[in-house]
Amino acid sequence: MPRFVVGDGDFELDGRPVRLLSGALHYFRVHEGLWAHRLGMLRAMGLTCVETYVPWNWHAPVEGGPVDMGPLGRFLDAVAAAGMFAIVRPGPYICAEWENGGLPAWVTGGPAARVRTRDEGYLRAVDGWLALVAEQVVGRQVDRGGPVVLLQVENEYGSYGSDRVYLRWLVQRWKALGVTVPLVTSDGPEEHMLSGGSVPGVLATVNFGSGAREAFGVLRRFRPGGPLMCMEFWCGWFTHWGAEEAVRGAEEAAGALREVLECGASVNLYMAHGGTSFGGWAGANRAGEDHLGALLPAVTSYDYDAPVDEYGRATAKFWAFREVLAGFREGAAVPGGVAGPVPEPPPAPPVLGAPVVGRLERWAPLDGVVDALGGAESETALPPVFEDLGVDRGLVRYRFEVPGPRKASPLWVLGLRDLATVLVDGARVAVVEGARDPVPIGEVAGPAVVELWVESLGRVNYGPRLGEAKGVTGGLLHERQYVHGVRARGLRLAALEEPGASARVPWRAGPGGGPGLYGGTLWVVGAGDAVLEVPGWVRGFVWVNGFCLGRYWDRGPRRPLYVPGPVLREGANEVLVLELEGPGEPEVRLGGVPGHNGG
């Protein structure tokens, strides 16, 4: 079998110095029916290797629940079928602008400060995760006839912590589980990051978007020997709600890529194809250099201004990168031989045959949806957080009773994360976000019933507030007094994807009004890749045939939701819209994706 090792100055495949020309593609952000096309697009750009994270929370969202690792194994098989190598980065933390950085909410629901450390409880959970990953990866390593050539120990650990005991434990566990390909770490090209995130005897790589010579100079001062590799060459960037979409010029990015390769280094384009954070899995960041400021949730699209865009189309950056990569393929590692000429792009996937307008002809108020599909209601002195209620992605209804009689006094929410719609005696009085603490609501007289409908905008995926709890983490204050006694009930987004979920919803005929679940039918002729728009709607989620397309929000940037062709079927297609503030036009619009593989 082939032998891939870390040499004194290069990667070596069966004793021959080789270079890795890799691109990031997250299988969990691409519909499985489109993997082959996206891999073909990466090959047509000149890449010979694919890198992917592995999101722990996507595979195991519920503690003790079913875990399906099959998608990882099938993706690695698809990589092998495409004639490419694979780099696997299984976390347990991945960042990736992904919910909680890939850590399950049931893991971080306890003392979050102990994650990514030697804490025994955390290590027990991680140990189970590593074993699940190993079942899919070990038998698919290159020295066993598979595509996997590298496995990452942890992800940018030097940006977070300095527990060297934890990092050494990870190395030992991966080796004990049968990993024989080289292990690597990846960190920013700064001394504190490299010293905090690297492990003696494990290849250190660096992440950056420009200034390759300076970055590799820092790495060489830290590690004088071994191959040079940029594990994340940031050729684009992600976007937050309310911000402009990130754009990086094709020629400038291609020049920075050329500099990486002229240094003799291997490279992994992050992202080669970004895809989409389906299912409400988009994460969030905290503002400020200290990453402790206001919450900045990431948009559903993970287009990333990548060379292959969200819809699988070649961009100007694709063609600029293809030209650069073509000049450095000699000596690039490919399974079973040497890299030849760059292949042409594969045929585009089918596109929706004709536009469709679907009317939303039934609805159910949000209270009824939560009562029908939500978890059990709790009654406690202080409000439980999302993690207490088993809610990873979704919302929680909190009900407080302000005692009386008492005069009107200020009402405050203490420790709010992230966004709350406030009702007093059934009338909406405010929509507030936890940008300050406590959050003022206004004056309320007692007795009164106060409801807080709190929606998670995505858990933090980077920085010291990783793993923070969601919901009302402090309490409700009336004047300066805690309002004790709260009933809380959560609704997981995943509940709407369970078999028979729609049949349990208390539907009403007609267009409805206000927050709730809206349903209708899309009659499709010529199923294929499409985009869906919800004109005039404010904020919520959309499902087509039980597949969650993700969050929409009129805060912008305005971008239609991507509907992968394999999700649609000929004839009737069910569409559900969970609107959390107020509906717009009583219809949704489905259109085709234009210009696949256009230059």
Side-chain angles (χ1 to χ4, degrees):
M1 292 295 177
R3 186 168 180 266
F4 188 88
V5 299
V6 171
D8 292 337
D10 298 287
F11 292 115
E12 296 179 2
L13 182 63
D14 290 337
R16 174 173 58 90
V18 295
R19 185 200 304 258
L20 292 176
L21 299 178
S22 179
L25 189 162
H26 299 158
Y27 62 94
F28 46 95
R29 281 183 160 126
V30 179
H31 192 283
E32 185 167 349
L34 296 172
W35 286 349
H37 174 263
R38 303 304 194 258
L39 291 168
M41 291 296 292
L42 267 58
R43 290 182 67 246
M45 190 165 41
L47 301 175
T48 61
C49 181
V50 179
E51 174 269 314
T52 187
Y53 282 129
V54 186
W56 185 359
N57 53 5
W58 187 76
H59 286 282
V62 178
E63 183 175 14
V67 178
D68 180 12
M69 299 300 296
L72 172 59
R74 293 194 298 274
F75 179 71
L76 294 176
D77 291 343
V79 171
M84 305 178 80
F85 284 126
I87 300 170
V88 180
R89 302 169 75 194
Y93 162 81
I94 65 172
C95 186
E97 290 68 59
W98 188 258
E99 165 86 9
N100 221 23
L103 296 172
W106 55 265
V107 171
T108 60
R114 297 178 184 173
V115 302
R116 305 184 77 189
T117 71
R118 73 189 80 175
D119 176 77
E120 291 184 3
Y122 176 66
L123 293 187
R124 278 195 300 272
V126 169
D127 198 36
W129 169 241
L130 302 191
L132 291 170
V133 173
E135 290 176 359
Q136 303 297 322
V137 171
V138 168
R140 293 179 170 91
Q141 297 177 100
V142 68
D143 54 8
R144 303 194 188 190
V148 179
V149 291
L150 295 176
L151 185 136
Q152 185 171 286
V153 173
E154 233 268 17
N155 188 54
E156 295 185 320
Y157 187 71
S159 299
Y160 179 82
S162 57
D163 191 341
R164 306 296 288 279
V165 174
Y166 166 57
L167 293 180
R168 289 196 298 269
W169 179 88
L170 288 170
V171 171
Q172 293 165 359
R173 288 303 299 142
W174 282 123
K175 290 181 176 179
L177 287 165
V179 174
T180 51
V181 296
L183 298 172
V184 299
T185 59
S186 69
D187 287 285
E190 298 183 37
E191 290 179 347
H192 76 280
M193 294 181 180
L194 286 166
S195 61
S198 61
V199 183
V202 173
L203 179 68
T205 67
V206 283
N207 302 339
F208 55 84
S210 60
R213 291 181 177 85
E214 293 82 358
F216 288 136
V218 175
L219 179 61
R220 274 291 179 247
R221 290 195 297 273
F222 186 79
R223 289 281 179 89
L228 292 174
M229 182 167 186
C230 178
M231 185 58 77
E232 291 186 13
F233 170 67
W234 303 319
C235 55
W237 205 243
F238 54 89
T239 303
H240 294 126
W241 289 109
E244 296 292 324
E245 288 198 82
V247 176
R248 184 178 187 184
E251 294 305 319
E252 185 272 329
L257 172 61
R258 183 181 297 277
E259 183 183 356
V260 173
L261 298 174
E262 287 175 344
C263 290
S266 292
V267 69
N268 178 54
L269 308 181
Y270 192 97
M271 297 290 297
H273 170 58
T276 311
S277 297
F278 298 117
W281 285 106
N285 291 287
R286 287 283 180 182
E289 292 185 2
D290 57 4
H291 302 285
L292 295 173
L295 190 76
L296 304 174
V299 301
T300 294
S301 170
Y302 202 61
D303 180 89
Y304 211 85
D305 194 33
V308 179
D309 75 3
E310 181 179 13
Y311 310 131
R313 303 174 300 188
T315 67
K317 194 176 291 181
F318 173 96
W319 299 109
F321 281 13
R322 175 183 163 102
E323 182 178 353
V324 171
L325 291 164
F328 291 89
R329 283 170 63 87
E330 184 177 352
V334 296
V338 295
V342 180
E344 292 301 309
V351 178
L352 182 71
V356 180
V357 175
R359 291 194 62 82
L360 300 173
E361 299 172 334
R362 62 190 190 279
W363 76 288
L366 201 52
D367 257 328
V369 177
V370 171
D371 290 341
L373 301 179
E377 186 170 64
S378 69
E379 188 167 353
T380 52
L382 293 172
V385 294
F386 277 43
E387 290 75 7
D388 295 331
L389 299 171
V391 176
D392 51 356
R393 296 153 295 125
L395 64 150
V396 170
R397 178 188 65 200
Y398 296 93
R399 280 182 176 155
F400 302 82
E401 294 186 8
V402 177
R406 58 175 65 187
K407 68 178 183 179
S409 297
L411 194 68
W412 304 81
V413 183
L414 186 65
L416 172 64
R417 307 194 187 116
D418 299 327
L419 183 151
T421 301
V422 185
L423 292 84
V424 176
D425 291 332
R428 189 173 75 170
V429 297
V431 178
V432 296
E433 296 184 49
R436 59 171 291 185
D437 195 18
V439 179
I441 301 301
E443 292 200 342
V444 173
V449 175
V450 177
E451 289 188 354
L452 299 176
W453 289 83
V454 181
E455 172 192 350
S456 173
L457 299 177
R459 285 178 174 79
V460 170
N461 52 252
Y462 181 85
R465 291 184 68 168
L466 176 73
E468 65 181 9
K470 290 298 184 185
V472 178
T473 63
L476 188 70
L477 298 175
H478 189 243
E479 219 284 329
R480 287 158 293 181
Q481 180 191 70
Y482 277 104
V483 180
H484 284 130
V486 55
R487 287 174 290 159
R489 191 167 198 171
L491 175 69
R492 299 180 66 234
L493 293 183
L496 283 92
E497 301 163 17
E498 296 173 356
S502 183
R504 301 201 303 274
V505 173
W507 294 109
R508 304 178 186 179
L517 187 65
Y518 294 76
T521 303
L522 296 167
W523 291 94
V524 170
V525 177
D529 276 7
V531 294
L532 185 142
E533 297 183 88
V534 284
W537 295 63
V538 180
R539 189 184 66 258
F541 297 87
V542 179
W543 289 258
V544 173
N545 295 329
F547 183 89
C548 184
L549 305 179
R551 188 194 310 270
Y552 64 89
W553 197 350
D554 68 355
R555 178 171 291 187
R558 298 293 297 194
R559 174 187 277 258
L561 293 168
Y562 174 47
V563 186
V567 169
L568 296 172
R569 51 180 176 246
E570 296 297 315
N573 294 258
E574 182 186 49
V575 58
L576 300 177
V577 181
L578 182 66
E579 169 59 43
L580 299 173
E581 194 159 329
E585 300 177 25
E587 62 185 29
V588 295
R589 299 172 186 172
L590 195 67
V593 173
H596 267 283
N597 296 342

